[in-house]
Amino acid sequence: MPLSLSLAVALFSTFACALQAELGTPEIHLGAKTCCNALSSLLPGQVFWPSSGPYIAQQSSYYSGEQATMTPTCRVSPESTFDVSRILEFASARKCHFAVRTGGHMAWTGASNIGSEGFAIDMQRVKGVELLKNKSVVSFGAGSRWRDVYALLQPENLTTVGGRVGDVGVGGFLLGGGIGFLSAEHGFGSDNVINYEVVLANGSVINANREQHSNLYWALKLGSTNFGIVTRFDMLTFPQGLVWGGSQFFAIKDAPVLLERLVTFTEKLATDPKGFFGLSLAWNPEAKDYIIWTLQTYLQPEPYPALWSDFVSLSPLVDMMGIKSLVDITEEFQEADPGKRGRSRWLSMTYKANAQFHLDLHAKGIELFEPYHNHAGVHWAVSVQPIPARFATVAAENGGNPTCLRESDGDLWVMLITTDWLDPSDDDIMNTNAEALLTWAENEAQRRDLFSPFIYMNYASGSESVMARSTNHETLKKMIQVKKTYDPQDSFDALWHGGFKLPQNEGQKPAMNYDRSEL
C-alpha cells in the first residue's frame, strides 16, 4: 500500500465528523441569503443549504480539508450551460458573491470555495464526454473528472493531455495550463484545447477558438477565474496503447544519484519526449524517516527504454513499475494521494534543472520542519518534474499561450513544496516555515543563476503572484486588455472569489488573489 494512503484513511473518519459539526451553523450574510433564496426559485431543486445531504457531500469531497470547512450560504449545482448562464446573469445583476468549483483539487483555502458571504457554484453535474470529428477531438463538460474522459478514450486506444490522477477535475487543470503524461511531447494540456464554450459575466455564451474570439481563446490557456466560466472543453486526441509505468520508492541516500540522473533524463526528452519522471524527497511520518517516491511513465509498453538507461542499475526499495494502461496508472497515483483531510499548504517555483540545488533545498526543509516532526500529522516533501525546452516550441505551434516560457530558457524543473498537518494550532508555524522555504529557494536560485519566474498555477498557493510572474510584460498587457473586452464591468474581480486574478493594470496587485489560510 502506498505510504500516504494508510495515514489518509486513518484520518478521514475524524475529519468527516468534525466537518459535519462545523457545517451545522454557518454565519448567514443577509445579502448572500437573499441571493440563495432567489436562485432557489430560479433553479428549483438545484440549490442546497447547509443542513442538506447534497451540501455536506459536496463540501466533504474537496481535496483539502481546509477548503471543505469553508461554509458558503448555499451551494448551487447547475446541470447545463444554460443553468450557468442564468446563474451568472443573476449574480452580476444582483452583485452576488460566489466561487466556482469543478474538481475541487486545489489545496489553498478559498481557491474554489467561499464563506458565508456568498454561494458556491458546484459544476460537478455539468458533465458528459463524447468523441467528435472522426475521434480526433474529445469534448467534455467542465464538471468531468479525468477518469471520465479516459474511460471513453481507452477502449478506442486514444488519450489526451490530461491529468495524471483520475479524480482531478478537468476545469481547474486546463485553466491553469495542466501538465500531463504527454506534456513533454505535446506541451500543456491547454495547448491542446481547440475550443472553449464559455459563459461571460453578463450570462452570454460564446465559443472561443482560433477562428472565433481568438484573443479570448489564447487568454483562457492560462485563464483561471478571470474571463468566464468554461462549461465545455474540446481537446485533441492522440493514439495511445499500453505503457510502462508506475511508482518506485528509494532510500534517501540515493537522492544525489537519482537527481543527477534526472538532469540527464530531462535533457534526453528533447529527442525522446515520451517519458515522464517525477521525484519527491519526503518525510514519512509512519516510518519516521525520509524516503524518495518517484512517479514514472514511458508511453510505450517497453520496460527500461534508452531514455531510462541511467536508472537501470539502481535498486528501489519498492518497485511498482509494469506494463499497464494510462488509466491504471492514474488510479494508482490516485491511491497514493487520495486527498489531504487535514491542514495543507502547497507552494511552487521553477528553476533550471540542477541536482545540487534540490538537495540543498531539501536540507533547508529539514532545518525548518524537523523540529515539528512529532506534531500530529506533520508531513512535508519537496518534489520536482521536468519542463523541457520544447514546451515553448509546442505552444508556438499551437497558437501560443500567455506563459513567459521560451525555448531559450533551456530545460527547467517545476518544484512543489507540500506541507500537511492536523492541529490548527500549528497553522502559523507550518505556513510560516513553508513560506520561508520558498523564499530561501527563490533567493538562492537567483544567486546561483538558476531562477525562472514561471510559477505553475496548479501547484501554487493563493499567496503567490502567479499571473504577474508566469507571464511577461507583453502577454500580461494583452491578457488585461482581453479581460476588459469580455468583462468590461470587472464583475469577476468584484464578485468571483478564488483562483488567480489578473491585476487591473500592469504593475498593480491582483484585486482578490489571496490565500485565506494567512488571514
Side-chain angles (χ1 to χ4, degrees), residues 121-158:
I121 302 173
D122 195 301
M123 297 286 288
Q124 292 183 90
R125 295 183 180 180
V126 184
K127 301 180 71 174
V129 186
E130 61 179 328
L131 283 165
L132 306 172
K133 299 183 179 180
N134 293 321
K135 303 180 183 179
S136 66
V137 173
V138 61
S139 178
F140 44 86
S144 304
R145 308 289 178 123
W146 284 111
R147 68 163 54 91
D148 303 325
V149 179
Y150 298 149
L152 179 72
L153 295 178
Q154 182 181 341
E156 305 291 339
N157 289 319
L158 296 170

Side-chain angles (χ1 to χ4, degrees), residues 380-394:
W380 66 277
V382 287
S383 309
V384 287
Q385 62 180 298
I387 294 189
R390 61 176 287 113
F391 261 60
T393 306
V394 172

Side-chain angles (χ1 to χ4, degrees), residues 78-81 84 101-103 123-130 132 138-146 148-149 152 168-172 174 195 197 229-235:
E79 298 177 354
S80 65
T81 298
V84 176
R101 177 260 180 89
T102 53
M123 297 286 288
Q124 292 183 90
R125 295 183 180 180
V126 184
K127 301 180 71 174
V129 186
E130 61 179 328
L132 306 172
V138 61
S139 178
F140 44 86
S144 304
R145 308 289 178 123
W146 284 111
D148 303 325
V149 179
L152 179 72
V168 169
V170 301
L174 290 171
N195 183 74
E197 180 184 76
I229 298 180
V230 176
T231 52
R232 192 189 78 240
F233 299 87
D234 300 337
M235 289 188 73

Side-chain angles (χ1 to χ4, degrees), residues 235-519:
M235 289 188 73
L236 297 172
T237 63
F238 302 95
Q240 184 62 60
L242 295 176
V243 305
W244 176 68
S247 300
Q248 289 179 330
F249 295 86
F250 293 86
I252 195 66
K253 65 180 177 59
D254 294 326
V257 66
L258 275 166
L259 285 163
E260 286 290 357
R261 294 179 187 188
L262 184 58
V263 173
T264 304
F265 177 94
T266 305
E267 294 168 353
K268 288 181 176 180
L269 289 172
T271 54
D272 186 356
K274 293 189 179 297
F276 165 74
F277 198 116
L279 183 153
S280 294
L281 307 181
W283 168 249
N284 175 18
E286 295 172 320
K288 298 190 182 304
D289 198 2
Y290 296 98
I291 198 164
I292 303 170
W293 177 30
T294 67
L295 309 175
Q296 307 171 46
T297 305
Y298 188 64
L299 298 174
Q300 297 289 339
E302 179 185 350
Y304 288 102
L307 184 58
W308 261 261
S309 60
D310 294 321
F311 297 100
V312 174
S313 61
L314 300 181
S315 300
L317 300 172
V318 179
D319 189 347
M320 302 169 66
M321 300 290 287
I323 305 300
K324 309 169 185 178
S325 71
L326 277 182
V327 173
D328 293 335
I329 294 178
T330 60
E331 294 307 319
E332 184 178 307
F333 289 0
Q334 172 71 39
E335 184 181 1
D337 190 11
K340 308 297 185 184
R341 303 304 183 183
R343 326 294 287 179
S344 184
R345 187 70 182 277
W346 289 23
L347 294 160
S348 187
M349 66 167 289
T350 304
Y351 50 83
K352 296 176 185 176
N354 186 280
Q356 188 58 52
F357 181 80
H358 199 69
L359 290 169
D360 294 344
L361 173 67
H362 183 247
K364 184 65 177 179
I366 292 173
E367 175 188 322
L368 290 166
F369 291 112
E370 198 163 76
Y372 307 98
H373 281 179
N374 63 339
H375 289 216
V378 167
H379 171 274
W380 66 277
V382 287
S383 309
V384 287
Q385 62 180 298
I387 294 189
R390 61 176 287 113
F391 261 60
T393 306
V394 172
E397 292 171 353
N398 289 342
N401 65 42
T403 71
C404 61
L405 295 174
R406 297 293 179 266
E407 190 169 6
S408 58
D409 296 336
D411 295 323
L412 303 172
W413 283 352
V414 165
M415 184 274 290
L416 169 64
I417 298 168
T418 53
T419 54
D420 303 286
W421 65 101
L422 291 178
D423 190 343
S425 67
D426 286 333
D427 285 2
D428 287 345
I429 190 62
M430 293 300 289
N431 279 309
T432 297
N433 284 351
E435 289 280 359
L437 184 56
L438 179 66
T439 299
W440 179 91
E442 292 183 337
N443 291 339
E444 190 65 15
Q446 291 183 65
R447 190 183 71 81
R448 301 187 196 187
D449 195 28
L450 300 172
F451 179 80
S452 166
F454 176 74
I455 302 173
Y456 179 41
M457 183 185 295
N458 294 347
Y459 287 171
S461 171
S463 61
E464 296 184 80
S465 299
V466 172
M467 286 301 189
R469 282 265 302 272
S470 295
T471 57
N472 59 38
H473 175 77
E474 289 303 318
T475 57
L476 180 61
K477 181 179 179 180
K478 182 177 176 181
M479 290 184 86
I480 292 170
Q481 187 56 52
V482 171
K483 187 180 186 314
K484 289 178 179 177
T485 300
Y486 290 93
D487 182 19
Q489 304 302 317
D490 284 328
S491 295
F492 289 145
D493 275 350
L495 303 175
W496 188 351
H497 293 226
F500 295 90
K501 298 298 186 183
L502 285 166
Q504 292 182 335
N505 297 289
E506 295 170 77
Q508 285 188 348
K509 291 185 177 180
M512 283 174 48
N513 183 27
Y514 58 85
D515 185 340
R516 291 186 53 152
S517 67
E518 296 191 319
L519 299 184

Side-chain angles (χ1 to χ4, degrees), residues 95-228:
K95 309 302 180 189
C96 299
H97 291 250
F98 63 90
V100 179
R101 177 260 180 89
T102 53
H105 204 263
M106 186 65 79
W108 55 274
T109 311
S112 55
N113 206 0
I114 193 170
S116 54
E117 68 272 23
F119 62 89
I121 302 173
D122 195 301
M123 297 286 288
Q124 292 183 90
R125 295 183 180 180
V126 184
K127 301 180 71 174
V129 186
E130 61 179 328
L131 283 165
L132 306 172
K133 299 183 179 180
N134 293 321
K135 303 180 183 179
S136 66
V137 173
V138 61
S139 178
F140 44 86
S144 304
R145 308 289 178 123
W146 284 111
R147 68 163 54 91
D148 303 325
V149 179
Y150 298 149
L152 179 72
L153 295 178
Q154 182 181 341
E156 305 291 339
N157 289 319
L158 296 170
T159 192
T160 192
V161 188
R164 292 171 302 217
V165 175
D167 198 48
V168 169
V170 301
F173 177 89
L174 290 171
L175 292 170
I179 300 175
F181 292 117
L182 280 69
S183 285
E185 186 169 12
H186 298 290
F188 290 109
S190 62
D191 288 325
N192 297 276
V193 176
I194 62 169
N195 183 74
Y196 301 87
E197 180 184 76
V198 57
V199 183
L200 303 180
N202 63 5
S204 60
V205 181
I206 62 173
N207 284 281
N209 50 57
R210 285 197 181 191
E211 288 73 40
Q212 300 172 282
H213 306 285
S214 58
N215 56 350
L216 178 60
Y217 167 69
W218 170 86
L220 284 169
K221 294 182 181 184
L222 198 67
S224 193
T225 58
N226 291 285
F227 303 102

